[in-house]
Amino acid sequence: MTTRDDTKTRLDALRVEIERRNPAQPEFHQAVHEVLDTLAPVLAARPEYAEPGLIERLCEPERQVIFRVPWQDDQGRVHVNRGFRVEFNSALGPYKGGLRFHPSVNLGIIKFLGFEQIFKNALTGLGIGGGKGGSDFDPHGRSDAEIMRFCQSFMTELYRHIGEHTDVPAGDIGVGGREIGYLFGQYRRITNRWEAGVLTGKGAGWGGSAIRPEATGYGSVLFAAAMLRERGEDLEGQTAVVSGSGNVAIYTVEKLLALGANPLTCSDSSGYVVDDKGIDVELLKQIKEVERGRISEYAERRGASARFVPGGRVWEVPADVALPSATQNELDENDAAALVRNGVKAVAEGANMPTTPEAVHLFQRAGVAFGPGKAANAGGVAVSALEMAQNHARTAWSPTKVEEELAHIMSAIHTTCHETAERYGAPGDYVTGANIAGFERVADAMLAQGVI
Ligand code: GLU
């Protein structure tokens, strides 16, 4: 019989082995540890999951592709970037996950994102496996023509690894509608196929789903609202701090406003803006989506209610709810302590792994409702799966239908996480609930499909 002690010893040994075999990948280690830390109760309760090799297989990507991406800038100079696609787990469906273009990208970052994606995608209840990709390309300050040439070069290698039944990329940091357009165009040209379901996040007129751009931000606000409701509170009338000013942050702000909450902040790498009247989402969209400008311009154009705080972090602004929506490890223990001191009630991760493990523990000890990204930001990939469904059926749903489906999926994810946490003796712990519920679904499929 497997005891809790045996399980813990085995998980500890596995952790050491993973660090040894994947050196210099701290974010990947962090993501794996965070999941393994919560699995002991389910492994002890369900001996079939403790089968030798199951967790080991789950932590090893099925396939990892690394490739050269050469491209020419507007002056004719040649640049060489590195491209990645990590196809982590396909037990539940084709690999699914975004592409990130950012100078910080390396194999460890893509592996952490791909690993998280497995559980997040499982939680949606839809048929999608987990993967992630990207490049260390820095789109900042590049012309449209340079972005296009980069995307074309990237796809010239990527196309052979993807397909609507194989691997379906989408956007992430640095990859939005413009980049998906260039990537899709090159895929179509090389393959001579109209294969709409090979990428998601496409334009509305050529196979994209309504509400896909909004889905991640809308979903994380719905998740925060569900956590508050569980505690007998309402999101309406609450103040919120939001970090970031990309796709997730913008639509987080939009949904907060729609539900009667007051989003006070947004940020970029240069600092943050705080707006006492609440962020004006149309101005934010104009600056970030149309002009691709900096967040400081928001304060310059908004008038007296807003100010720009160079180099600051939004977490110092008192608020009822926090929605970290920028990037990994952007909210540390000190930030969490400031939020708790200022009375924060709920935190929902719009970004992937934005909260450090120490900060997560601090929130949990303080009794703050904490929604991990795997659950809280799953709305984006969920609507991607709905985009795939529409593509396969050669149809397009109305925005109302997609938004209803999104609300239904987010509510189901909240209930699943909540009930799973309770079942395994960790009531109110959405981290344990999300990890175990996602794990159970993937593990059942892996066990049924044999040792592959
Ligand atoms: N990059 C998003 C995520 O982190 C979306 C992935 C997708 O739509 O495939 O979940």
PDB file of all heavy atoms in Angstrom, residues 181-202:
ATOM      1  N   GLY A 181      -2.306  37.025 -38.316  1.00  0.00           N
ATOM      2  CA  GLY A 181      -2.598  37.215 -39.741  1.00  0.00           C
ATOM      3  C   GLY A 181      -1.397  36.870 -40.609  1.00  0.00           C
ATOM      4  O   GLY A 181      -1.507  36.103 -41.580  1.00  0.00           O
ATOM      5  N   TYR A 182      -0.233  37.414 -40.278  1.00  0.00           N
ATOM      6  CA  TYR A 182       0.976  37.137 -41.073  1.00  0.00           C
ATOM      7  C   TYR A 182       1.363  35.653 -40.996  1.00  0.00           C
ATOM      8  O   TYR A 182       1.800  35.050 -41.989  1.00  0.00           O
ATOM      9  CB  TYR A 182       2.146  37.991 -40.590  1.00  0.00           C
ATOM     10  CG  TYR A 182       1.960  39.490 -40.780  1.00  0.00           C
ATOM     11  CD1 TYR A 182       2.451  40.396 -39.833  1.00  0.00           C
ATOM     12  CD2 TYR A 182       1.313  40.005 -41.906  1.00  0.00           C
ATOM     13  CE1 TYR A 182       2.301  41.770 -40.001  1.00  0.00           C
ATOM     14  CE2 TYR A 182       1.151  41.378 -42.073  1.00  0.00           C
ATOM     15  CZ  TYR A 182       1.645  42.256 -41.124  1.00  0.00           C
ATOM     16  OH  TYR A 182       1.498  43.612 -41.282  1.00  0.00           O
ATOM     17  N   LEU A 183       1.199  35.069 -39.801  1.00  0.00           N
ATOM     18  CA  LEU A 183       1.550  33.644 -39.640  1.00  0.00           C
ATOM     19  C   LEU A 183       0.603  32.772 -40.459  1.00  0.00           C
ATOM     20  O   LEU A 183       1.028  31.836 -41.149  1.00  0.00           O
ATOM     21  CB  LEU A 183       1.475  33.254 -38.151  1.00  0.00           C
ATOM     22  CG  LEU A 183       2.557  33.867 -37.249  1.00  0.00           C
ATOM     23  CD1 LEU A 183       2.153  33.765 -35.775  1.00  0.00           C
ATOM     24  CD2 LEU A 183       3.915  33.191 -37.476  1.00  0.00           C
ATOM     25  N   PHE A 184      -0.682  33.104 -40.413  1.00  0.00           N
ATOM     26  CA  PHE A 184      -1.674  32.301 -41.155  1.00  0.00           C
ATOM     27  C   PHE A 184      -1.433  32.422 -42.657  1.00  0.00           C
ATOM     28  O   PHE A 184      -1.497  31.430 -43.396  1.00  0.00           O
ATOM     29  CB  PHE A 184      -3.095  32.748 -40.798  1.00  0.00           C
ATOM     30  CG  PHE A 184      -4.156  31.880 -41.411  1.00  0.00           C
ATOM     31  CD1 PHE A 184      -4.427  30.618 -40.890  1.00  0.00           C
ATOM     32  CD2 PHE A 184      -4.884  32.305 -42.516  1.00  0.00           C
ATOM     33  CE1 PHE A 184      -5.400  29.793 -41.459  1.00  0.00           C
ATOM     34  CE2 PHE A 184      -5.856  31.489 -43.094  1.00  0.00           C
ATOM     35  CZ  PHE A 184      -6.110  30.234 -42.557  1.00  0.00           C
ATOM     36  N   GLY A 185      -1.156  33.652 -43.107  1.00  0.00           N
ATOM     37  CA  GLY A 185      -0.910  33.862 -44.535  1.00  0.00           C
ATOM     38  C   GLY A 185       0.243  32.998 -45.033  1.00  0.00           C
ATOM     39  O   GLY A 185       0.159  32.355 -46.095  1.00  0.00           O
ATOM     40  N   GLN A 186       1.320  32.958 -44.269  1.00  0.00           N
ATOM     41  CA  GLN A 186       2.482  32.181 -44.697  1.00  0.00           C
ATOM     42  C   GLN A 186       2.193  30.677 -44.648  1.00  0.00           C
ATOM     43  O   GLN A 186       2.607  29.929 -45.533  1.00  0.00           O
ATOM     44  CB  GLN A 186       3.701  32.531 -43.817  1.00  0.00           C
ATOM     45  CG  GLN A 186       5.004  31.873 -44.237  1.00  0.00           C
ATOM     46  CD  GLN A 186       5.596  32.479 -45.505  1.00  0.00           C
ATOM     47  OE1 GLN A 186       4.952  33.264 -46.204  1.00  0.00           O
ATOM     48  NE2 GLN A 186       6.827  32.118 -45.811  1.00  0.00           N
ATOM     49  N   TYR A 187       1.441  30.237 -43.636  1.00  0.00           N
ATOM     50  CA  TYR A 187       1.070  28.814 -43.555  1.00  0.00           C
ATOM     51  C   TYR A 187       0.251  28.416 -44.777  1.00  0.00           C
ATOM     52  O   TYR A 187       0.474  27.381 -45.408  1.00  0.00           O
ATOM     53  CB  TYR A 187       0.252  28.553 -42.275  1.00  0.00           C
ATOM     54  CG  TYR A 187      -0.118  27.104 -42.095  1.00  0.00           C
ATOM     55  CD1 TYR A 187       0.772  26.215 -41.487  1.00  0.00           C
ATOM     56  CD2 TYR A 187      -1.342  26.607 -42.535  1.00  0.00           C
ATOM     57  CE1 TYR A 187       0.446  24.874 -41.325  1.00  0.00           C
ATOM     58  CE2 TYR A 187      -1.677  25.276 -42.376  1.00  0.00           C
ATOM     59  CZ  TYR A 187      -0.766  24.413 -41.765  1.00  0.00           C
ATOM     60  OH  TYR A 187      -1.097  23.087 -41.609  1.00  0.00           O
ATOM     61  N   ARG A 188      -0.723  29.270 -45.135  1.00  0.00           N
ATOM     62  CA  ARG A 188      -1.603  29.004 -46.277  1.00  0.00           C
ATOM     63  C   ARG A 188      -0.792  28.964 -47.571  1.00  0.00           C
ATOM     64  O   ARG A 188      -0.991  28.115 -48.429  1.00  0.00           O
ATOM     65  CB  ARG A 188      -2.658  30.117 -46.345  1.00  0.00           C
ATOM     66  CG  ARG A 188      -3.756  29.906 -47.338  1.00  0.00           C
ATOM     67  CD  ARG A 188      -4.891  30.882 -47.086  1.00  0.00           C
ATOM     68  NE  ARG A 188      -4.489  32.276 -47.217  1.00  0.00           N
ATOM     69  CZ  ARG A 188      -4.231  32.893 -48.367  1.00  0.00           C
ATOM     70  NH1 ARG A 188      -4.308  32.223 -49.510  1.00  0.00           N
ATOM     71  NH2 ARG A 188      -3.882  34.161 -48.393  1.00  0.00           N
ATOM     72  N   ARG A 189       0.176  29.873 -47.671  1.00  0.00           N
ATOM     73  CA  ARG A 189       0.977  29.926 -48.896  1.00  0.00           C
ATOM     74  C   ARG A 189       1.851  28.680 -49.051  1.00  0.00           C
ATOM     75  O   ARG A 189       1.915  28.073 -50.122  1.00  0.00           O
ATOM     76  CB  ARG A 189       1.859  31.180 -48.854  1.00  0.00           C
ATOM     77  CG  ARG A 189       2.629  31.371 -50.128  1.00  0.00           C
ATOM     78  CD  ARG A 189       3.523  32.579 -50.031  1.00  0.00           C
ATOM     79  NE  ARG A 189       4.013  32.923 -51.365  1.00  0.00           N
ATOM     80  CZ  ARG A 189       4.972  33.809 -51.593  1.00  0.00           C
ATOM     81  NH1 ARG A 189       5.527  34.453 -50.603  1.00  0.00           N
ATOM     82  NH2 ARG A 189       5.361  34.049 -52.814  1.00  0.00           N
ATOM     83  N   ILE A 190       2.492  28.285 -47.938  1.00  0.00           N
ATOM     84  CA  ILE A 190       3.408  27.137 -48.013  1.00  0.00           C
ATOM     85  C   ILE A 190       2.638  25.839 -48.256  1.00  0.00           C
ATOM     86  O   ILE A 190       3.054  24.991 -49.044  1.00  0.00           O
ATOM     87  CB  ILE A 190       4.237  26.996 -46.706  1.00  0.00           C
ATOM     88  CG1 ILE A 190       5.147  28.196 -46.527  1.00  0.00           C
ATOM     89  CG2 ILE A 190       5.059  25.713 -46.709  1.00  0.00           C
ATOM     90  CD1 ILE A 190       5.874  28.210 -45.191  1.00  0.00           C
ATOM     91  N   THR A 191       1.512  25.675 -47.561  1.00  0.00           N
ATOM     92  CA  THR A 191       0.805  24.387 -47.627  1.00  0.00           C
ATOM     93  C   THR A 191      -0.215  24.328 -48.750  1.00  0.00           C
ATOM     94  O   THR A 191      -0.702  23.244 -49.076  1.00  0.00           O
ATOM     95  CB  THR A 191       0.051  24.112 -46.301  1.00  0.00           C
ATOM     96  OG1 THR A 191      -0.894  25.181 -46.098  1.00  0.00           O
ATOM     97  CG2 THR A 191       0.996  24.031 -45.121  1.00  0.00           C
ATOM     98  N   ASN A 192      -0.578  25.481 -49.295  1.00  0.00           N
ATOM     99  CA  ASN A 192      -1.630  25.536 -50.319  1.00  0.00           C
ATOM    100  C   ASN A 192      -2.932  24.936 -49.813  1.00  0.00           C
ATOM    101  O   ASN A 192      -3.620  24.213 -50.506  1.00  0.00           O
ATOM    102  CB  ASN A 192      -1.181  24.819 -51.604  1.00  0.00           C
ATOM    103  CG  ASN A 192      -2.128  25.113 -52.762  1.00  0.00           C
ATOM    104  OD1 ASN A 192      -2.714  26.199 -52.829  1.00  0.00           O
ATOM    105  ND2 ASN A 192      -2.295  24.158 -53.666  1.00  0.00           N
ATOM    106  N   ARG A 193      -3.233  25.225 -48.533  1.00  0.00           N
ATOM    107  CA  ARG A 193      -4.472  24.722 -47.920  1.00  0.00           C
ATOM    108  C   ARG A 193      -5.167  25.854 -47.189  1.00  0.00           C
ATOM    109  O   ARG A 193      -4.504  26.648 -46.521  1.00  0.00           O
ATOM    110  CB  ARG A 193      -4.147  23.678 -46.840  1.00  0.00           C
ATOM    111  CG  ARG A 193      -3.762  22.326 -47.339  1.00  0.00           C
ATOM    112  CD  ARG A 193      -2.994  21.593 -46.243  1.00  0.00           C
ATOM    113  NE  ARG A 193      -3.805  21.304 -45.062  1.00  0.00           N
ATOM    114  CZ  ARG A 193      -4.416  20.136 -44.850  1.00  0.00           C
ATOM    115  NH1 ARG A 193      -4.301  19.167 -45.724  1.00  0.00           N
ATOM    116  NH2 ARG A 193      -5.125  19.927 -43.770  1.00  0.00           N
ATOM    117  N   TRP A 194      -6.495  25.900 -47.268  1.00  0.00           N
ATOM    118  CA  TRP A 194      -7.260  26.767 -46.360  1.00  0.00           C
ATOM    119  C   TRP A 194      -7.616  25.911 -45.146  1.00  0.00           C
ATOM    120  O   TRP A 194      -8.594  25.171 -45.141  1.00  0.00           O
ATOM    121  CB  TRP A 194      -8.523  27.340 -47.013  1.00  0.00           C
ATOM    122  CG  TRP A 194      -9.241  28.176 -46.009  1.00  0.00           C
ATOM    123  CD1 TRP A 194     -10.161  27.747 -45.092  1.00  0.00           C
ATOM    124  CD2 TRP A 194      -9.047  29.570 -45.746  1.00  0.00           C
ATOM    125  NE1 TRP A 194     -10.545  28.786 -44.286  1.00  0.00           N
ATOM    126  CE2 TRP A 194      -9.877  29.913 -44.655  1.00  0.00           C
ATOM    127  CE3 TRP A 194      -8.242  30.569 -46.311  1.00  0.00           C
ATOM    128  CZ2 TRP A 194      -9.942  31.207 -44.136  1.00  0.00           C
ATOM    129  CZ3 TRP A 194      -8.315  31.854 -45.792  1.00  0.00           C
ATOM    130  CH2 TRP A 194      -9.145  32.169 -44.725  1.00  0.00           C
ATOM    131  N   GLU A 195      -6.761  25.994 -44.141  1.00  0.00           N
ATOM    132  CA  GLU A 195      -6.919  25.138 -42.963  1.00  0.00           C
ATOM    133  C   GLU A 195      -7.157  26.058 -41.776  1.00  0.00           C
ATOM    134  O   GLU A 195      -6.242  26.337 -40.997  1.00  0.00           O
ATOM    135  CB  GLU A 195      -5.635  24.310 -42.797  1.00  0.00           C
ATOM    136  CG  GLU A 195      -5.720  23.225 -41.772  1.00  0.00           C
ATOM    137  CD  GLU A 195      -4.358  22.549 -41.565  1.00  0.00           C
ATOM    138  OE1 GLU A 195      -3.517  22.538 -42.484  1.00  0.00           O
ATOM    139  OE2 GLU A 195      -4.145  22.047 -40.451  1.00  0.00           O
ATOM    140  N   ALA A 196      -8.405  26.545 -41.657  1.00  0.00           N
ATOM    141  CA  ALA A 196      -8.688  27.598 -40.668  1.00  0.00           C
ATOM    142  C   ALA A 196      -8.289  27.171 -39.256  1.00  0.00           C
ATOM    143  O   ALA A 196      -7.792  27.974 -38.480  1.00  0.00           O
ATOM    144  CB  ALA A 196     -10.167  27.962 -40.718  1.00  0.00           C
ATOM    145  N   GLY A 197      -8.511  25.888 -38.922  1.00  0.00           N
ATOM    146  CA  GLY A 197      -8.295  25.444 -37.552  1.00  0.00           C
ATOM    147  C   GLY A 197      -6.844  25.243 -37.146  1.00  0.00           C
ATOM    148  O   GLY A 197      -6.566  24.709 -36.078  1.00  0.00           O
ATOM    149  N   VAL A 198      -5.889  25.699 -37.964  1.00  0.00           N
ATOM    150  CA  VAL A 198      -4.474  25.516 -37.603  1.00  0.00           C
ATOM    151  C   VAL A 198      -3.974  26.582 -36.626  1.00  0.00           C
ATOM    152  O   VAL A 198      -2.968  26.376 -35.945  1.00  0.00           O
ATOM    153  CB  VAL A 198      -3.582  25.487 -38.861  1.00  0.00           C
ATOM    154  CG1 VAL A 198      -3.515  26.858 -39.534  1.00  0.00           C
ATOM    155  CG2 VAL A 198      -2.183  25.009 -38.519  1.00  0.00           C
ATOM    156  N   LEU A 199      -4.638  27.732 -36.601  1.00  0.00           N
ATOM    157  CA  LEU A 199      -4.257  28.805 -35.674  1.00  0.00           C
ATOM    158  C   LEU A 199      -5.547  29.391 -35.109  1.00  0.00           C
ATOM    159  O   LEU A 199      -6.555  29.454 -35.829  1.00  0.00           O
ATOM    160  CB  LEU A 199      -3.511  29.940 -36.404  1.00  0.00           C
ATOM    161  CG  LEU A 199      -2.101  29.681 -36.929  1.00  0.00           C
ATOM    162  CD1 LEU A 199      -1.672  30.853 -37.819  1.00  0.00           C
ATOM    163  CD2 LEU A 199      -1.104  29.529 -35.786  1.00  0.00           C
ATOM    164  N   THR A 200      -5.516  29.857 -33.870  1.00  0.00           N
ATOM    165  CA  THR A 200      -6.689  30.591 -33.359  1.00  0.00           C
ATOM    166  C   THR A 200      -6.279  32.014 -33.017  1.00  0.00           C
ATOM    167  O   THR A 200      -5.092  32.320 -32.904  1.00  0.00           O
ATOM    168  CB  THR A 200      -7.319  29.900 -32.139  1.00  0.00           C
ATOM    169  OG1 THR A 200      -6.341  29.804 -31.108  1.00  0.00           O
ATOM    170  CG2 THR A 200      -7.847  28.520 -32.502  1.00  0.00           C
ATOM    171  N   GLY A 201      -7.326  32.859 -32.874  1.00  0.00           N
ATOM    172  CA  GLY A 201      -7.069  34.283 -32.697  1.00  0.00           C
ATOM    173  C   GLY A 201      -7.030  34.983 -34.051  1.00  0.00           C
ATOM    174  O   GLY A 201      -6.457  36.064 -34.191  1.00  0.00           O
ATOM    175  N   LYS A 202      -7.665  34.348 -35.046  1.00  0.00           N
ATOM    176  CA  LYS A 202      -7.680  34.918 -36.396  1.00  0.00           C
ATOM    177  C   LYS A 202      -8.646  36.108 -36.443  1.00  0.00           C
ATOM    178  O   LYS A 202      -9.460  36.307 -35.548  1.00  0.00           O
ATOM    179  CB  LYS A 202      -8.131  33.832 -37.405  1.00  0.00           C
ATOM    180  CG  LYS A 202      -7.190  32.630 -37.450  1.00  0.00           C
ATOM    181  CD  LYS A 202      -7.631  31.577 -38.446  1.00  0.00           C
ATOM    182  CE  LYS A 202      -8.906  30.864 -38.087  1.00  0.00           C
ATOM    183  NZ  LYS A 202      -8.846  30.059 -36.851  1.00  0.00           N
TER     184      LYS A 202
END
